[in-house]
Amino acid sequence: MAETPRKRDLPLILVGLLVALFGLAYVAGGAWLASLGGSGYYLIAGLGLLLSGALLIAARRAGVALYALVFLGTVLWTLWEAGTHIWGWIPRMDVIIGLAVLVALVAPRVRDGFGRGASYGVAGLLVVAVAVGFGLIFVPFGSTHPNPVPGPDSAALGTDVGQDQAADDPARGDWPAYGGGHSAQRYAALDQINRDNVTQLKRAWTYRTGDLLDERWGAETTPLKVGDDVFLCTSRNIVISLDAASGAENWRYDPRVSKDAIPYTAACRGVTYYQVPADRAGAQDDNAGRSADNDDGADDDAVPGDNRPAPTEVAEQVAANDDTEVAADTCQARIFSGTLDGRILALDADTGKPCTGFGANGEVDIKKNMGDTPPGYVSINSAPVIVRDTVVTGHQVLDGQRRDAPSGVIKAFDAVTGELKWAWDAGRPDRSEPLTGDATYTRGSPNMWTTAVGDNRLGLVYLPMGNSAADYWSTPRSDAENEWGTSLVAIDVTTGKPVWHFQVAHKDVWDYDLGSQPTLLDFPTDDGPVPALLLPTKQGEVYVFNRRTGEPLVDIEERPVPQGGAEPEQRSATQPFSNYHTLKQPDLTEQDMWGMTPFDQMYCRIQYRQADYRGMYTPPNADRPWIEFTGYNGGSDWGSVALDPNRGVMIANYNITPNYNRLVPREKADEYGWVPREEMQGRDHGGAEGQGDPQAGTPYAIDVNAGWRVKWTGLLCKQPPYGGIRAVDVKTGDTLWDRPFGTARANGPWGIRSGLPFTIGTPNNGGAVVTAGGLIFIAAATDDLIRAIDIDTGETVWQDVLPAGGQANPLVYEADGRQYLMIVATGHHFMETPSGDYVITYALPEE
């Protein structure tokens, strides 16, 4: 008897088609990946899905069985590749488990179908598995605690850097330097706020600066607190004094910096406090009354001081070129601030008025003898350092534009008169006398954009240097540039001559410039404490030197690194690695690639296989893309580290993000219209550094995919975490605890803020402060939170949502017997956190 034709089953056909379509996508991407030497799973699984879908459309029982086989194989493959890493399961299993639910629901509809109870039970179990998996992502993953944290009074790492200035030995409750004091340990000896009461912390007052930007925002500011006052600068270098207890504005000074002067980011990380010595109090009189000698144009639409609500009445604003009479014998206490257009300002700390005895009407222009300096090319975005009455400043030279960019020369001025004392240029390192007339400092030489540190007792200033202009091409560099670039340089502040230096990357073509401010400490050795300097790097290496001599206090090895690339004759056979401590992560593998689904994960796997990657220091390649890991954002960047000198514990937050780079031939860059900024006629509105930079004067432009993001979703190709925070025993270099840092609440695909508070470990910029209360305060991550972390456990014990991104180092101080936590929340365009102009303080409720 003939078999009765089976009626077409629409649900079964639709599920079969869906399985087959996904299988086709698996086959296409999997075949491409396999042809590049990648995983064969996707191709095999895709063929299984194609056949399973066809069999389901035909209502064959084998379709369900084959899908079950693919599902089981995927589970085993996921366990093999990702282990128990919950983030690794998501792209490998989400599509497969979703389809499995549908297949289970239609399983009773095939010929000789499966029982409804069993099929629906399997579908229910799969849904429960999905729910459990979703719940697991809220459980912090990847935290380790291999060693106990030393208790209070376990160490004595405080160090003698002199007694010349308030920042040498900060008064209890003050924060008189960018790093807390001249040793830059970022430690507050205050315990009013502690682990027992931190949950009661509330906002005490909020101040709005009024300096808001809609592009290139990211002030990165850490204020100072001296006596009763707080001093800070805004994105465009408005300097403000506030009452430390109430937030009432004392004064503000607007130097009228044009928007055209903003380099990559409108950053003003901090200002510098200085007290004129009694024996020099009259020296400034001889220099008073000189007319201003600054031809930089003022911004016609400079932000006024009162266009944003503040908690108190706004004080009278002092502006550049104000006709107000200023007495030369004032300015015994001074605030020094650098500007984005290359000036050093000296302001009276009491009134905010220019110190007319300093330079020309209270300012000096560092751009002299630099030659052509288009707007934005020479910008001071870090606080100057003062050693033995000498103001030492570096500056940012706009990256990626020209090989013949302005010089990175370091300049030193008399802190009382503004006289240029010396100028040290890494392109002419054996000379320090200032140039005169039409002479020009070495074009394109290495610069110092970050914050230096100084020792008044030794008379040394320590310069964390960057590399030469044209970050990713080294052939035109001189021997001197190759020797001194990307180095820590100790300079005798009296002569301007180097005393010692150490290079952290030889012939740097990875933009591994030194971003972190060094930390000074007495390092414990078997022979007793040694005045030392601790240096974190973007590569993740942490070095310790005798700061008198430059001798490494823990061994440093030169290890072989990958060779070849576009300039094989230029690459160093070895690079330095510290045997003390490293934040560096294991090399990337194809298995580390990630995505929301197997399809964007396949895309990232294919990109991985197409690129040149042989570990740290894979050289730039002109024939294909190359992977840089860690990327130029660290490791450790400008937020640096914090040190508890009484416990002997270092706190380091760090990034775990790669860059996906390509050298672009000059003719192709010309087709793209990649030209230096001054030729763009207003077309440049920001973006990731290196994203289509012309590198004019070299054979290649550079295109950096910072963080290595998928262009359709904006998610990173590497699986989480993307950032962490770690406690390290300073004496041994051992990790005490380590954890991912940052939640996904403000992150998601296509720029959607997910609102989900699970710990994913986000990129982070900005550092921490440690207190005697056993707490670490830090913002930095892209989730717009400020946190208190228990130093013993690494656990978050308090947090608050900021109104803008907290990409800045916080500070802790005391005023009128009350302890305060302060953070400047301005957001950051590179970190894609919201823009703001907030100065926010927290304190315990008043009794």
Side-chain angles (χ1 to χ4, degrees):
M1 184 176 178
E3 184 177 345
T4 303
R6 183 179 177 86
K7 190 174 182 180
R8 291 191 176 275
D9 191 315
L10 185 58
L12 191 57
I13 292 172
L14 289 175
V15 171
L17 280 172
L18 194 61
V19 170
L21 284 172
F22 277 105
L24 186 61
Y26 267 68
V27 168
W32 190 2
L33 178 60
S35 72
L36 297 170
S39 172
Y41 158 79
Y42 299 93
L43 177 58
I44 296 168
L47 292 171
L49 291 174
L50 267 175
L51 182 55
S52 172
L55 291 169
L56 287 171
I57 292 170
R60 301 287 295 275
R61 183 184 177 94
V64 177
L66 183 55
Y67 191 89
L69 187 61
V70 171
F71 180 87
L72 178 60
T74 301
V75 170
L76 295 175
W77 171 73
T78 299
L79 278 169
W80 177 64
E81 280 209 335
T84 58
H85 195 302
I86 186 64
W87 297 109
W89 281 70
I90 292 172
R92 292 171 173 86
M93 289 299 303
D94 53 5
V95 166
I96 292 296
I97 203 168
L99 290 175
V101 172
L102 297 178
V103 171
L105 290 174
V106 300
R109 309 175 84 98
V110 299
R111 292 190 182 96
D112 302 321
F114 296 87
R116 290 180 184 273
S119 298
Y120 295 166
V122 169
L125 285 174
L126 291 172
V127 171
V128 170
V130 170
V132 170
F134 184 74
L136 286 175
I137 67 177
F138 290 89
V139 178
F141 176 86
S143 297
T144 61
H145 203 318
N147 294 293
V149 174
D153 303 320
S154 298
L157 305 185
T159 190
D160 179 10
V161 295
Q163 297 294 321
D164 296 352
Q165 290 292 319
D168 288 335
D169 185 16
R172 188 180 186 277
D174 276 4
W175 192 274
Y178 172 73
H182 279 163
S183 59
Q185 294 190 353
R186 294 176 175 81
Y187 174 76
L190 300 173
D191 60 3
Q192 186 181 98
I193 303 169
N194 53 56
R195 285 171 291 197
D196 295 333
N197 60 23
V198 68
T199 56
Q200 302 173 41
L201 210 56
K202 303 293 182 184
R203 292 191 189 185
W205 52 263
T206 298
Y207 173 84
R208 304 286 298 272
T209 70
D211 193 358
L212 273 169
L213 296 174
D214 55 8
E215 60 184 43
R216 303 187 193 281
W217 66 91
E220 306 173 0
T221 306
T222 300
L224 308 184
K225 189 270 182 178
V226 182
D228 296 328
D229 302 318
V230 166
F231 304 97
L232 68 140
C233 54
T234 71
S235 293
R236 284 192 286 172
N237 306 120
I238 300 171
V239 184
I240 299 171
S241 171
L242 305 175
D243 181 86
S246 68
E249 185 177 288
N250 298 320
W251 54 258
R252 63 167 51 209
Y253 177 82
D254 186 352
R256 302 189 185 279
V257 173
S258 169
K259 285 184 179 180
D260 293 340
I262 298 174
Y264 172 63
T265 298
C268 185
R269 296 187 185 91
V271 297
T272 305
Y273 179 84
Y274 172 72
Q275 186 74 37
V276 176
D279 61 351
R280 303 252 357 242
Q284 58 185 327
D285 295 352
D286 297 335
N287 211 38
R290 292 171 54 191
S291 62
D293 184 19
N294 178 23
D295 57 2
D296 295 332
D299 185 4
D300 292 335
D301 61 348
V303 178
D306 58 356
N307 67 344
R308 284 280 164 180
T312 57
E313 182 180 353
V314 176
E316 180 183 0
Q317 175 167 302
V318 182
N321 303 319
D322 198 327
D323 292 332
T324 305
E325 287 285 333
V326 184
D329 60 355
T330 59
C331 291
Q332 298 309 296
R334 301 182 174 192
I335 298 298
F336 286 96
S337 181
T339 68
L340 297 179
D341 54 11
R343 292 175 281 158
I344 294 284
L345 313 174
L347 306 175
D348 189 314
D350 293 326
T351 67
K353 295 178 179 179
C355 299
T356 56
F358 178 87
N361 199 32
E363 64 182 55
V364 294
D365 185 349
I366 72 165
K367 300 188 295 299
K368 292 182 178 181
N369 294 102
M370 286 193 192
D372 184 31
T373 56
Y377 271 68
V378 175
S379 301
I380 304 171
N381 49 26
S382 294
V385 63
I386 298 180
V387 178
R388 294 189 178 177
D389 305 318
T390 302
V391 180
V392 181
T393 185
H395 58 276
Q396 177 182 1
V397 176
L398 189 61
D399 275 349
Q401 305 303 303
R402 295 183 175 277
R403 167 56 196 152
D404 67 340
S407 175
V409 59
I410 309 298
K411 291 191 174 183
F413 302 89
D414 186 293
V416 178
T417 67
E419 176 191 0
L420 180 59
K421 298 177 71 172
W422 51 261
W424 183 78
D425 178 0
R428 50 194 289 275
D430 55 339
R431 302 171 61 187
S432 62
E433 71 280 5
L435 295 180
T436 59
D438 295 330
T440 303
Y441 296 104
T442 310
R443 302 286 291 181
S445 61
N447 67 86
M448 182 191 72
W449 58 265
T450 193
T451 310
V453 69
D455 186 326
N456 268 309
R457 185 174 60 86
L458 297 179
L460 297 179
V461 59
Y462 304 93
L463 310 176
M465 299 296 293
N467 63 358
S468 298
D471 288 321
Y472 300 90
W473 189 257
S474 60
T475 297
R477 298 175 189 168
S478 68
D479 291 342
E481 290 175 87
N482 284 330
E483 179 181 353
W484 295 87
T486 316
S487 296
L488 179 71
V489 182
I491 298 280
D492 184 326
V493 78
T494 303
T495 66
K497 297 289 185 68
V499 176
W500 60 265
H501 77 287
F502 178 81
Q503 188 170 65
V504 302
H506 308 318
K507 291 191 175 181
D508 177 13
V509 284
W510 302 273
D511 199 12
Y512 280 155
D513 46 8
L514 283 167
S516 295
Q517 182 185 28
T519 296
L520 307 184
L521 70 157
D522 278 356
F523 188 75
T525 71
D526 293 340
D527 298 322
V530 175
L533 179 147
L534 187 148
L535 178 70
T537 69
K538 287 184 176 181
Q539 298 96 306
E541 303 299 320
V542 183
Y543 300 97
V544 187
F545 302 98
N546 181 320
R547 69 174 183 266
R548 294 192 193 102
T549 65
E551 175 191 4
L553 295 179
V554 181
D555 289 343
I556 299 169
E557 289 184 7
E558 289 283 338
R559 299 176 191 165
V561 293
Q563 298 295 288
E567 304 171 283
E569 71 287 349
Q570 288 286 318
R571 299 287 65 80
S572 172
T574 63
Q575 293 286 354
F577 292 83
S578 173
N579 284 332
Y580 171 63
H581 187 83
T582 184
L583 303 168
K584 185 171 93 65
Q585 304 296 303
D587 288 347
L588 290 177
T589 66
E590 183 190 319
Q591 287 86 348
D592 294 319
M593 299 302 99
W594 199 69
M596 290 190 300
T597 70
F599 307 113
D600 44 336
Q601 185 187 45
M602 262 193 291
Y603 170 80
C604 292
R605 283 182 181 250
I606 289 167
Q607 280 204 319
Y608 177 89
R609 287 293 176 178
Q610 289 175 322
D612 183 11
Y613 177 65
R614 290 167 281 149
M616 179 74 85
Y617 296 109
T618 296
N621 199 308
D623 300 325
R624 55 181 173 145
W626 88 94
I627 298 168
E628 178 186 346
F629 184 62
T630 58
Y632 62 38
N633 202 33
S636 182
D637 206 345
W638 54 264
S640 197
V641 299
L643 205 69
D644 186 328
N646 299 320
R647 292 174 179 266
V649 176
M650 175 180 73
I651 302 299
N653 56 302
Y654 56 94
N655 285 301
I656 319 171
T657 52
N659 289 351
Y660 196 83
N661 305 337
R662 63 188 181 112
L663 289 175
V664 179
R666 177 61 51 210
E667 58 274 15
K668 184 62 68 175
D670 291 343
E671 289 178 21
Y672 294 154
W674 295 355
V675 295
R677 183 190 289 185
E678 71 273 21
E679 299 177 16
M680 294 190 71
Q681 300 177 337
R683 291 183 287 120
D684 181 17
H685 299 286
E689 188 171 345
Q691 185 179 352
D693 282 353
Q695 295 199 138
T698 73
Y700 296 94
I702 180 66
D703 193 23
V704 175
N705 181 345
W708 189 2
R709 299 171 70 163
V710 178
K711 57 185 176 182
W712 301 290
T713 65
L715 295 180
L716 279 66
C717 266
K718 177 196 167 294
Q719 73 180 12
Y722 307 119
I725 187 168
R726 179 180 298 180
V728 177
D729 187 305
V730 172
K731 182 176 182 178
T732 65
D734 293 338
T735 297
L736 304 174
W737 52 256
D738 188 28
R739 53 164 276 197
F741 175 54
T743 68
R745 63 175 298 276
N747 301 276
W750 306 292
I752 298 170
R753 295 168 69 89
S754 71
L756 298 173
F758 50 77
T759 299
I760 195 170
T762 72
N764 53 90
N765 268 350
V769 54
V770 184
T771 76
L775 296 172
I776 303 158
F777 290 105
I778 185 169
T782 60
D783 55 12
D784 306 336
L785 297 176
I786 185 167
R787 296 171 169 82
I789 296 173
D790 187 326
I791 196 171
D792 284 339
T793 65
E795 296 178 357
T796 298
V797 291
W798 168 88
Q799 65 185 33
D800 187 45
V801 178
L802 298 171
Q807 280 65 58
N809 288 39
L811 67 150
V812 171
Y813 65 86
E814 187 176 74
D816 296 339
R818 194 179 186 194
Q819 182 178 332
Y820 293 87
L821 164 69
M822 176 180 283
I823 182 74
V824 176
T826 65
H828 205 287
H829 69 108
F830 176 71
M831 307 298 283
E832 298 179 5
T833 56
S835 176
D837 64 340
Y838 299 89
V839 182
I840 302 174
T841 61
Y842 297 87
L844 297 174
E846 294 185 282
E847 296 181 0

